[in-house]
Amino acid sequence: MKESAIEGQTLCYHCGNECIEELHLVDSKAFCCQGCKSVYEVLNANNLCNYYNYNQHPGANRAIVDARFEYLDNVTIISDLVDYSDDKITIVSFYIPAIHCSSCIWLLEQLNRINPAIHYSRIDFLKKQVIIRFSNAEISLRQVVELLFNIGYEPVISLQDVIKKQAKSSKDNLVQKIAVAGFCFGNVMLLSFPEYFGLSGVEQTFKHFFGWLNVLFCLPVVFYSGTEYFVSAWNNLRNKVLNIDFPLALGIAVLFIRTVTEVYTRTGAGFGDTLCGLVFFLLIGKFVQRKTYHHISFERDYRSFFPVAVSVIENDAEIHLPLSQLQTGHRIVIRHNEIIPADAILLKGEALIDFSFVTGEANPVSKILGEIIYAGGRQTGQAVEMEVIKPVSQSYLTQLWNNEAFAHGHGKDMQTFSQKVSKYFTVVLLVIAFGTLLYWLPVDYKKGLAAFTAVLIVACPCALALSTPFTMSAALSIFDKNFFYLKNTAIVEHLARIDTIVLDKTGTITTGDSKTIKFEGALTDKEKQLIYSACINSSHPLSRMIYTHLSGQNRLKTEEYAEVPGQGILAVVDGHYLRVGNSKLVLGQNEDETQLTRVHILLDNVYKGYFAFIHQYRPGLENISELAPAYKLFLLSGDQDHEKYELLKFFKNQEAMHFNQSPQEKLDFINSLQHSGATVMMIGDGLNDAGALKQSDLGVALTDNVNNFSPGSDAILDGCSLIKLPVFLEFSKDTVHIIYLSFLISLTYNVIGLSYAVTGNLSPLVAAILMPLSTATIISFTSIATRLAAKRRKLI
């Protein structure tokens, strides 16, 4: 593979990024930083350069940061992170967002070749996780993480990981129950074939024996696989509630009792095959309904991007403490790109804090010495020292999560169609069944019992119980293919009921690279070099955007340099005096707040013009604006109102747009809409939207990478699919209509079957045949109809 170049730009051999600030050459290959160069050298030394054959520039960019993993020497932290450990081996799982292709899998499963102390490493690609087993005596947990970091795959180790492991519940045994029911169902069907096809006189002796074998196979199905239905029915009866599990449990019980009775009295073969098939298909439906995107986390909060440890200065030495031990008065060190875990006062260094996840404000904020900096901000400059003034549990960010919206889950109690219908269905079924029994008992008790059994079997709501999960699961797969991930099947119905849509601005309707640059004025090549050379010294995002925009220029000598916090740069470059910054710094006057973000240029006291930073809106925002008047549209933003007039073409009137909104104000706005009778869907991307997402009837977290941080939500939408939101809304309504039709089909079967069952003319055997027939019809109809609806909406 040769060094890559595009239009004269030198690209890093490892990560593919442009080599702007640095250029390192090894074996005639170019690298953008010392970190990428080190990764290549590690792979080359271990004969693992086949890594680069799988994909062009597969690696992740990294920079060397000394001692950043020292906290992994802390025994308390280690015990929280590892999956298993004894005197000889340790097994640990890490989440690595950089896993994205076959080359990543190949390299990470070759860790034992880089360090033999690692026994093996296995990748779960969907979860982006690696499971590593290593020898305690030869390598430490910290060294394992440093190895991953050195080859460009830094694991994300956050406070949320520890909390999830501590709160992990026992595994669900639904799969085992399905396996037992399926095994018994197959065997009972096999033993029932002689009964279906008839037995010769010689073989009649086996009839009774096969019957008792069927009873034995029914025992684990009823008392293991089907126990959940009996427990649910009993609990609901105790709470004076009837749901769909009661008639299901009753049907299972009646089938089992009839089977045992007929086999014992030698009056029939019983209904073992019907019983096992019913439980098996019900559990399959439950599995399909419960099946969701296990590799995506819908339940996230501020802890999922907080570190598990923090650097603290004690006795002029830097130590690492678990975050739970951080106390008021501790002096902490926050380095570049690290999160501030607690409210603190700045004591040393220049703080340039990115609060976009907390407040929604797109531009980093400069802080001066002695100023309070709230938890949740990310330091984008050099390392700073701060003194904690509030423990983590009492910080501003934590208080947001103590809001009652998070405690009570308000707004999430909408019932599904199946839940609404099932209670009425159950009452009607029980009235008909017991009415039939009471009617026939004085005349012919045998006929009465047969009719009672036939009613319960033919009207067993298995089709109703299966129509919703199979329809919704088919819909989930369609949404999945279009990068819209719903937390569970019930969310589809919630989506169909939405009448109000609220959108965040920064990162939601704007792209990740949210700004494009346009220079108003004229610059010579020499002047571009001067501006580039001044801006490349700054870590401010606007400066980085300018020097990236001017990339390819020669870097000139910077003789003097100073940054004015929150205003701009003063510099002397190659003998020329330069001012780069806001209107106050460059022109001595404040700029109109309604204008777009501008960075002005003054060169040798001559005004040259300004860089205008224009937000780039996501494709398809026009489609969303066309949802009105069918849907009410609102914009909630923590950013300033610079783009108010530009956004009018999407949101039609100024009253629908609200700027400078705090997280609490966003939550309160959603609450006020709900009190006015609206069913609200909130779409946001950051922690500042988390309260509103939780309060809304349907919270959608929008992200450009579904495995990166996004706040807790009911659904996760990939940014590229925002354009399809109107189609998603229509398809959700189609799905609900399919459920209505499937219920109508099920009801038709029940009415026809019941009309014969109540007369005592429908044998339980015929009823047992009708029941699976209706189930098969419902499953086929919902699967085909959902797919046809998706094709009509051009989602497949």
Side-chain angles (χ1 to χ4, degrees), residues 218-238:
C218 288
L219 288 174
V221 174
V222 174
F223 295 104
Y224 175 67
S225 298
T227 51
E228 189 174 334
Y229 294 101
F230 293 104
V231 171
S232 175
W234 173 249
N235 289 335
N236 282 285
L237 281 177
R238 289 174 60 188

Side-chain angles (χ1 to χ4, degrees), residues 721-760:
S721 293
L722 183 64
I723 188 174
K724 298 180 181 179
L725 183 61
V727 183
F728 291 152
L729 292 167
E730 291 300 320
F731 178 62
S732 66
K733 293 179 180 178
D734 293 340
T735 304
V736 172
H737 292 153
I738 292 170
I739 291 176
Y740 293 162
L741 287 173
S742 66
F743 175 71
L744 184 60
I745 294 172
S746 175
L747 194 62
T748 302
Y749 267 105
N750 288 337
V751 169
I752 294 172
L754 284 172
S755 64
Y756 286 95
V758 296
T759 63

Side-chain angles (χ1 to χ4, degrees), residues 278-535:
L278 170 62
V279 175
F280 176 69
F281 285 114
L282 285 173
L283 292 176
I284 288 289
K286 183 166 287 190
F287 175 78
V288 170
Q289 187 173 20
R290 195 175 294 181
K291 185 175 180 290
T292 187
Y293 312 98
H294 66 283
H295 57 286
I296 299 174
S297 175
F298 292 90
E299 300 298 338
R300 295 176 173 177
D301 59 27
Y302 66 97
R303 297 169 297 185
S304 63
F305 75 125
F306 265 26
V308 295
V310 64
S311 300
V312 176
I313 297 176
E314 285 189 2
N315 300 322
D316 296 327
E318 189 175 323
I319 63 172
H320 295 275
L321 284 181
L323 198 61
S324 59
Q325 297 179 19
L326 189 64
Q327 302 291 331
T328 302
H330 273 150
R331 188 174 181 127
I332 60 175
V333 178
I334 303 296
R335 294 181 171 83
H336 174 71
N337 214 36
E338 289 185 348
I339 296 292
I340 300 167
D343 298 349
I345 295 176
L346 181 63
L347 300 179
K348 183 179 179 181
E350 296 181 4
L352 189 63
I353 311 299
D354 176 6
F355 281 113
S356 57
F357 262 135
V358 180
T359 65
E361 173 59 51
N363 297 324
V365 179
S366 296
K367 297 290 184 178
I368 60 175
L369 297 181
E371 194 169 355
I372 295 176
I373 304 178
Y374 294 103
R378 187 188 297 274
Q379 166 67 347
T380 61
Q382 61 187 1
V384 295
E385 293 182 15
M386 311 171 73
E387 181 178 322
V388 177
I389 60 172
K390 287 183 181 179
V392 176
S393 61
Q394 296 178 21
S395 69
Y396 164 76
L397 192 60
T398 309
Q399 289 174 10
L400 175 62
W401 258 262
N402 290 333
N403 189 285
E404 61 180 4
F406 291 88
H408 303 299
H410 177 76
K412 308 293 184 181
D413 55 353
M414 287 191 291
Q415 282 191 319
T416 63
F417 173 74
S418 179
Q419 290 171 334
K420 289 179 179 178
V421 170
S422 62
K423 57 184 178 182
Y424 300 109
F425 184 93
T426 301
V427 172
V428 172
L429 172 60
L430 293 176
V431 168
I432 294 174
F434 284 102
T436 302
L437 177 64
L438 292 174
Y439 176 80
W440 285 109
L441 275 180
V443 180
D444 185 347
Y445 77 94
K446 290 184 177 180
K447 194 171 187 178
L449 288 174
F452 176 73
T453 306
V455 168
L456 289 176
I457 294 173
V458 78
C460 182
C462 56
L464 176 62
L466 292 174
S467 63
T468 297
F470 275 94
T471 305
M472 292 306 185
S473 297
L476 280 188
S477 68
I478 301 298
F479 285 126
D480 179 24
K481 291 175 183 176
N482 290 274
F483 308 106
F484 189 27
Y485 308 94
L486 306 186
K487 187 176 181 179
N488 54 52
T489 53
I491 302 299
V492 182
E493 288 191 55
H494 294 353
L495 185 63
R497 299 175 192 170
I498 295 301
D499 56 33
T500 303
I501 301 173
V502 180
L503 296 106
D504 173 50
K505 184 177 79 69
T506 306
T508 301
I509 64 173
T510 59
T511 58
D513 283 331
S514 59
K515 296 178 180 178
T516 55
I517 302 177
K518 180 181 180 183
F519 187 76
E520 296 292 341
L523 293 172
T524 64
D525 290 341
K526 173 69 173 181
E527 291 167 344
K528 290 179 181 178
Q529 292 174 11
L530 294 170
I531 298 169
Y532 172 83
S533 301
C535 290

Side-chain angles (χ1 to χ4, degrees), residues 503 509 617-626 647 650 722:
L503 296 106
I509 64 173
Y617 299 107
R618 293 188 185 274
L621 197 55
E622 298 84 359
N623 295 0
I624 295 176
S625 66
E626 292 173 2
L647 287 166
F650 303 121
L722 183 64

Side-chain angles (χ1 to χ4, degrees), residues 90-92 94 111 118 120-121 130-134 144 148:
T90 294
I91 300 175
V92 66
F94 289 122
L111 293 180
I118 295 176
Y120 67 78
S121 51
V130 59
I131 301 173
I132 300 173
R133 172 176 169 166
F134 60 90
V144 170
L148 291 169

